[in-house]
Amino acid sequence: MATDAVAQLADSLAKTLVTEGELSYKGQGRKFDNAQSVEEMVKEIQEFKGLKALRLEGNTYGVEAAQAIAKALETKSEFKYCYWSDMFTGRLRSEIPPALNSLGAALMTAGARLTVLDLSDNAFGPDGVKGIEKLLKSTACHTLQELRLNNCGMGIGGGKILAAALTECYKQSSAQGTPLGLKVFIAGRNRLENDGATALAQAFQLMGSLEEVHVPQNGINHPGVTALATAMQHNPQLRVLNLNDNTFTKKGAIAMAQALKHLRSIQVINFGDCLVRSEGAIAIAEAVTEGLPILKELNLSFGEITGEAALLVAQSVEGKATLEKLDLNGNCLGEEGCDDLREVMDGLNMGDLLGSLSDDEGEPEEDDDDEEEDEDEEDEDEEEGDEDDEEEDDEDEEDDEDDVEEEEDSSVNQVSSPLSVPRSPDAASFLCFPSPDKLLKLGTKRALLFEQQVDVADAGKTAEAFLKISSVYNEEDEQVKSAVLDSIDAILRKAFASPSFQGYNFVSSLLVMLGLLKSEDKVKPVHVVPGHLQALEYVVRQDYFPQDHIAVLEAFMSRHVQALESCSSARNILKSTLEQVRPEN
């Protein structure tokens, strides 16, 4: 208790400390309506030599009061720090833009070079952003390092205005040889949504200097998350990334996982309450395993993550000497899953770093088909994608009809011409309706044909092709067995050789199609046959298969699920091989 009291006192002192060159009226709870009400303040500002920082937060200022303060700031050329959060409580929204305009104009007149601009907790909306637009574009902000706009209600419109202003500031400052080097951006609770986030992402990508980004609770879905993920890749010094309480789903989580692979300086990741789900968690776990050497905190709480995926996340932090906390609370582990997670963390000597699991949602029902129904209803592009799929299906049906007509024509020709022969089977025909006979009839060039037919840039299509080919695997027929393995080798070697191939997406797609992992996409699992697992057992022994994926497969092959019951022998052999090829810790 004494230690807590000392810590609270130290925190309190830190918050009230007046640094050199700082004038503070913080937290006085006073109401300043007009010029007369701020006469004393104005006098103190005017008489303060070398003024660098002004704290106005925790009071409320009318337009006239703000204009009087602004007049006093016009001569303060050394001014750097604006701590102006929570300074318009009880004011009409229409009062805020002119007040901000006057303060901003004063700083430009003074020739100030700002380092910090904090306007958090001012519910000024898009119009308020317009009130600081000129300031943000001016030379006063060419040196800006911290921009704090938390809980300002900017909305999509305000986000776009802000992004355009930052972009203009960067371009003008770059033209003068001193590009804007913004380090800290805070804009939580602003209803930015996808369009606002995407606009800001473009500005972030341009700057490339960010070290902290906090945009929690902004109603951002996977299109906006993906845009931010792309932007973060261009900010290599990023240390803190907080997107708490937005909606990633699988697409957003995988995009973020890809971004994390480029961020060697990241220390704090807060993706709590972001619905990353199991597939996303697996992708993030692989990113953590591959890099993030100085990670301190990883928050994947309340993300509908199941037990197996959570274990992979836990295993991914092994060897992270700087780790201080792993938060997986509020997921779908179940009592046994929670115990397993604690056991893994204890085994890593990191048990004390695992956060509470008191809000665990319990293990999900195996046949819960309603879980994903509302997944992407908010995303128009998802609906367009579905329409495209339907059109493709229609085209496929037309192609099938054409095939039938061609076959009928072929039959007619065969009757009229004894020289006619049936069409040779091709790779596409095999992938539609796999059979050992079709595979063998593809001849010695079958591997090349599959390489040409399968789009290995698409991890999902690659996984689907793997399952189609391996479905005809026959351990007792050497000719078929060899044809299957040669074909799979050709496809996967080419896929994994590509730097852009998303291996974790391939593995998660494989698990989904085998019925071992639930997906937010409506994917119907295949009927698992021994050949699927026998071919996979061969693949994991090959040099092209990344060792980082071994732990993922091993965790899911250890599950007692109905889909694998008919292949117990093949599964046991695969499990044994996975244990043998598992990389040494």
Side-chain angles (χ1 to χ4, degrees), residues 3 6 48-49 55 76 136 147 171 176 191 241 262 273 297 312 456 458 473 508 514 547 553:
T3 304
V6 171
F48 198 115
K49 294 182 179 180
R55 290 189 174 275
K76 304 301 177 180
L136 289 172
L147 180 57
K171 289 180 177 178
Q176 296 180 17
R191 306 193 311 276
L241 183 56
H262 297 264
D273 207 12
E297 295 184 23
L312 293 170
V456 295
D458 187 318
Y473 181 96
S508 63
L514 289 171
Q547 290 192 324
L553 289 173

Side-chain angles (χ1 to χ4, degrees), residues 47-103:
E47 294 177 352
F48 198 115
K49 294 182 179 180
L51 182 65
K52 295 181 180 179
L54 179 61
R55 290 189 174 275
L56 299 176
E57 66 263 51
N59 303 292
T60 178
Y61 303 83
V63 176
E64 289 185 16
Q67 290 171 340
I69 295 170
K71 188 69 177 175
L73 289 173
E74 287 181 353
T75 59
K76 304 301 177 180
S77 60
E78 297 178 47
F79 196 78
K80 293 183 178 181
Y81 306 98
C82 303
Y83 298 110
W84 296 348
S85 64
D86 188 22
M87 57 180 284
F88 296 114
T89 301
R91 300 292 171 182
L92 296 174
R93 182 170 288 189
S94 59
E95 294 182 80
I96 300 176
L100 290 173
N101 264 318
S102 60
L103 290 166

Side-chain angles (χ1 to χ4, degrees), residues 111-167:
R113 294 292 184 269
L114 296 184
T115 299
V116 176
L117 178 58
D118 185 356
L119 289 166
S120 297
D121 300 315
N122 291 308
F124 49 50
D127 291 340
V129 184
K130 292 179 182 178
I132 59 171
E133 186 177 8
K134 290 182 180 178
L135 173 63
L136 289 172
K137 291 179 178 179
S138 74
T139 55
C141 285
H142 286 187
T143 53
L144 193 65
Q145 294 185 13
E146 297 185 18
L147 180 57
R148 301 171 181 266
L149 296 169
N150 199 59
N151 191 31
C152 289
M154 289 189 289
I156 295 173
K160 289 182 175 180
I161 296 169
L162 177 61
L166 289 174
T167 300

Side-chain angles (χ1 to χ4, degrees), residues 269-324:
I269 299 171
N270 186 345
F271 296 161
D273 207 12
C274 283
L275 212 64
V276 299
R277 291 218 168 92
S278 295
E279 290 174 278
I282 291 171
I284 292 169
E286 293 203 6
V288 173
T289 300
E290 292 177 16
L292 314 191
I294 56 174
L295 183 66
K296 289 184 177 180
E297 295 184 23
L298 176 58
N299 184 347
L300 296 178
S301 60
F302 298 93
E304 293 191 4
I305 300 169
T306 56
E308 292 80 6
L311 292 179
L312 293 170
V313 173
Q315 291 165 0
S316 74
V317 301
E318 182 177 7
K320 307 295 179 186
T322 56
L323 191 73
E324 296 175 0

